[in-house]
Amino acid sequence: MTAVVSLSILGTLLGALLGVAARFLAVKVDPLEAELEALLPGAQCGQCGFAGCRQAATALAEGTAKVTLCPPGGRKTVVALAERLGVSFDTAEVEETAPRIAFIHEDRCIGCTRCIQNCTTDGIVGAPGQMHTVIQDACHGCGKCQEVCPTDCVELRPVQVTLATWHWHKPSPQVHARARSRARVRAAARAARAARAARADARAATPTAAATKVEAGGAQ
Amino acid sequence: MKLFRIRGGVDVEHRKELSSEQAIRVMAPPSRLHVPLQQHAGVSADPVVAPGDRVLKGDLLAQPQGAVSAPIHAPTSGVVLEICERMAPHPSGLSVRSIELEPDGEDRWGACLPPIEDPFTADPAVITARVAEAGVVGLGGAAFPTAVKLGLGARTPIDTLVINGAECEPYLTCDDRLMREQAGEVIDGVRIIAYTLKVRDIRIAIESNKPQALEAMTRAVGAIEADHDGRIVVVAIPTRYPMGSERHLVQLITGHEIPARRLPADVGVAVHNVATARAIRHAVRLGRPLVSRVVTVSGGAVRRPMNLEVPFGTLVSDLLEACDGLAEDPPARLLAGGPMMGQPLPDREVPVIKGIGGVLALSWGEIHDGPSHPCIRCGTCVSVCPCGLVPFEMVQYVRHDRLDDAAALGVRDCVGCGSCAYACPSHIPLAQYFHYAKGRLNAEDRDRRKHELMKRLAEGRTARMEKVARAKREALAKRKAAAAAKKAAEAAKAAEAAKAPAAGDAGAA
């Protein structure tokens, strides 16, 4: 009896404490949102249709946006988001686009500064009436500048592989099989040789017209 | 002297006899040279010549850019034809900016840098500056600017200098020949390095399969013993691949294991190659920049394997021509470097650069070209891995692109020696898988860094925009307040004015 009473009292007290703690020490922001925001590129480019990455993360947390919403994030972001939210995604919807960066055709640039004003990462330099240019290291290829350019002088170009960024490809089964394919080629060559030899033998056995002619010539 | 134990490694057929008895021959400059502006680790050099310029041997062609870079000098006298993109001696087959030079055949030295007569009384900083000016880079293969490594002595205390003459890669004999023929010059270079780094303990490590080199170096050390106050020891180290790997050599000799992703300097050791030591001597004593190196041309497909002193920029095709061409054409493999760690060359029209110590043309009989089989989990790769990794487990992760798991097992600590792939009875291309994994992980790191930069830039811009907006709002509010105050003041004045005449009227009344 004493045990039951003491345990119930203890339980009630601790429950009350937890209840109070939950009210006073509540976390204001949904931690999921913050986590999702960290997974997004964070360049606030707005290509997802939301004002920025924070708003996109909110929509994702609420479940009103798809994990495939972020074009510059690419496949990696989609996979990370899907893993965090425990949802599946349609692989067909994610096209693996090569990273691109903007390039300004300077002969067509009129110096309107619209791209500069719209660049979320301060990746374009220039002055009114003077041509602009892209700082390659500060561009992440969101394409906002392309949308606003009145002379269509912005082009998104795929990032070039250089000696510093190149790396070995994965040894694919095909590469493994190269030796096998070479063996196959050799086998085919052998077969062809055998076939040629067989044909020659056949020719020798039944002399063709030409051979007969030569023989005939030799006889004359 | 006591040597410490290191783990793993494989006994390879060294096949050095193909070229080890061929004395070093100086190759005459061929009819054209493609001198790449990037021959070293770090930032590429910036050309200071223009097409049409006449240059003499040793003249500056391109100057370094940034802290980790090296200048490029003219390998011979001639005319600069063009500065353009040319294929790099790199497995990717990508191009690199190069200076095309047409030699005039005279091979005349220009006005060199002033020789430093007595380097042992000069300021170490002067020597370091000279080494940088002469474009000397590590000739062991990594091509890291040597001056940067010499400058380390001023920052971190270094107590041991290890000179790497191990040359553990099969086929290669360039360092062996250099030590046999020019031991005196090498030792002089070693003493200059030791003086610059203020190191008194010097160990010259040579694999025991090079008895003549060991003897020549020991004799050369004996000759200078009298006027050297430090300790120089020539150490015969066991013949076992990869003994020449910097990390393993340091552990073998000093017993200190270099922590993962750290440098020998972190355990108080500096490692330099024997060919680098000779290049340093030439830069300091003769004022000659690094314009050529000894290259071993070998392999079963080469008619006459040789050790040649080759001007940089010489095309591999010209190099093979100097060795009477190929007996087996095309060869099974054309490699830059040794057969274990060397990289395939994409073409023969690529130049020899500072980091290339060997060009190998291997015949079909010398390589394994069979298919790979499934792993039988025999554990051979684990026992031969000199880094203490578990290759068979890592490769499973890499195969399924689970690179983070592979990284957790330490794939980044792989030095790429290829011992595992060499020993694998199933012929699994383990080393290739790890090359791929390391490349991908590096690319992901780069992406992450860019991602962070983008985030920082975007946040910075947002903050700035908010500040501007706030300032505008405040200015507007201030203006409004000022306008309101003015209005009120005017209204008050008007009221006063209205009141005053009224008062005056009242007074008058």
Side-chain angles (χ1 to χ4, degrees), chain B residues 6 10 22 46 59 90 93 169 211 229 258 311 375 447 450 456 473:
Chain B
I6 60 163
V10 284
Q22 302 290 327
D46 190 34
D59 283 357
H90 188 267
E169 275 270 10
D229 52 355
I258 301 169
C375 175
D447 281 355
K450 173 136 193 181
R456 216 170 48 237
R473 261 200 318 276

Side-chain angles (χ1 to χ4, degrees), chain B residues 22-290:
Chain B
Q22 302 290 327
I24 297 169
R25 299 227 314 230
V26 178
M27 183 178 171
S31 57
R32 69 230 147 115
L33 294 173
H34 292 173
V35 188
L37 296 174
Q38 172 96 62
Q39 302 192 29
H40 46 264
V43 190
S44 78
D46 190 34
V48 295
V49 289
D53 284 0
R54 289 200 71 83
V55 289
L56 292 174
K57 188 174 183 174
D59 283 357
L60 187 69
L61 291 182
Q63 64 193 9
Q65 301 187 94
V68 181
S69 186
I72 308 281
H73 299 86
T76 184
S77 54
V79 182
V80 175
L81 289 183
E82 231 184 315
I83 301 174
C84 54
E85 300 280 328
R86 286 271 181 254
M87 197 189 281
H90 188 267
S92 63
L94 289 169
S95 55
V96 58
R97 249 181 124 210
S98 310
I99 294 177
E100 208 175 310
L101 194 70
E102 187 182 36
D104 56 13
E106 287 173 31
D107 203 25
R108 196 148 45 91
W109 279 97
C112 288
L113 306 160
I116 300 176
E117 299 293 346
D118 188 6
F120 302 117
T121 53
D123 181 3
V126 171
I127 296 179
T128 307
R130 164 55 55 85
V131 169
E133 224 178 326
V136 179
V137 301
L139 297 178
F144 190 79
T146 303
V148 180
K149 265 165 99 177
L150 289 181
L152 276 180
R155 284 196 291 275
T156 46
I158 287 180
D159 48 47
T160 313
L161 171 65
V162 174
I163 297 298
N164 191 347
E167 201 166 50
C168 60
E169 275 270 10
Y171 291 96
L172 301 190
T173 54
C174 49
D175 290 351
D176 181 16
R177 288 310 310 187
L178 202 65
M179 288 187 286
R180 283 198 218 178
E181 295 176 30
Q182 300 176 16
E185 291 196 2
V186 172
I187 295 292
D188 193 37
V190 169
R191 287 182 62 199
I192 295 173
I193 300 175
Y195 170 77
T196 313
L197 290 173
K198 302 189 186 70
V199 180
R200 296 171 56 83
D201 191 6
I202 305 163
R203 326 274 176 91
I204 301 172
I206 304 168
E207 269 194 357
S208 55
N209 64 354
K210 292 182 258 299
Q212 291 103 322
L214 274 165
E215 200 201 317
M217 291 295 276
T218 313
R219 216 176 319 116
V221 169
I224 55 109
E225 203 97 75
D227 50 51
H228 185 73
D229 52 355
R231 185 169 80 120
I232 307 185
V233 187
V234 178
V235 191
I237 58 170
T239 302
R240 192 168 173 80
Y241 181 83
M243 219 41 107
S245 150
E246 188 173 81
R247 313 183 83 82
H248 300 101
L249 193 63
V250 168
Q251 198 180 348
L252 179 83
I253 288 180
T254 65
H256 298 308
E257 184 170 353
I258 301 169
R261 289 179 288 284
R262 303 294 285 279
L263 296 169
D266 291 314
V267 294
V269 182
V271 184
H272 289 273
N273 176 270
V274 284
T276 316
R278 173 177 167 259
I280 289 173
R281 177 194 189 268
H282 284 182
V284 172
R285 295 250 190 208
L286 311 175
R288 284 190 177 168
L290 181 64

Side-chain angles (χ1 to χ4, degrees), chain B residues 319-509:
Chain B
L319 199 60
L320 294 174
E321 213 46 61
C323 298
D324 292 349
L326 296 177
E328 199 177 304
D329 203 1
R333 295 269 193 286
L334 188 62
L335 300 177
M340 298 294 282
M341 289 186 74
Q343 296 285 313
L345 288 172
D347 199 90
R348 275 177 225 184
E349 302 301 301
V350 294
V352 169
I353 57 172
K354 291 177 182 176
I356 295 181
V359 171
L360 301 183
L362 302 179
S363 61
W364 285 106
E366 288 171 296
I367 61 160
H368 169 77
D369 192 41
S372 71
H373 300 288
C375 175
I376 54 170
R377 302 177 87 77
C378 62
T380 311
C381 51
V382 182
S383 56
V384 301
C385 180
C387 302
L389 301 173
V390 192
F392 74 89
E393 212 167 324
M394 294 196 301
V395 84
Q396 289 301 342
Y397 284 129
V398 177
R399 214 174 245 164
H400 295 97
D401 277 320
R402 288 173 59 182
L403 297 177
D404 291 332
D405 293 309
L409 283 178
V411 77
R412 283 172 198 267
D413 300 331
C414 166
V415 294
C417 69
S419 299
C420 50
Y422 181 84
C424 179
S426 290
H427 303 301
I428 299 170
L430 292 154
Q432 280 91 322
Y433 275 110
F434 301 149
H435 273 311
Y436 158 73
K438 284 185 280 183
R440 268 284 297 273
L441 285 167
N442 285 342
E444 276 174 19
D445 280 351
R446 268 198 305 276
D447 281 355
R448 202 167 306 132
R449 275 201 298 277
K450 173 136 193 181
H451 182 138
E452 274 159 21
L453 174 72
M454 290 299 122
K455 220 168 208 171
R456 216 170 48 237
L457 285 173
E459 276 163 11
R461 184 183 160 92
T462 315
R464 200 181 65 228
M465 286 307 173
E466 269 167 17
K467 204 167 145 196
V468 168
R470 201 170 52 237
K472 255 186 195 161
R473 261 200 318 276
E474 274 165 14
L476 195 69
K478 209 184 261 173
R479 252 206 325 272
K480 256 187 186 162
K486 206 170 164 194
K487 222 178 199 174
E490 264 169 23
K493 216 187 237 169
E496 223 162 80
K499 223 186 273 172
D505 286 352

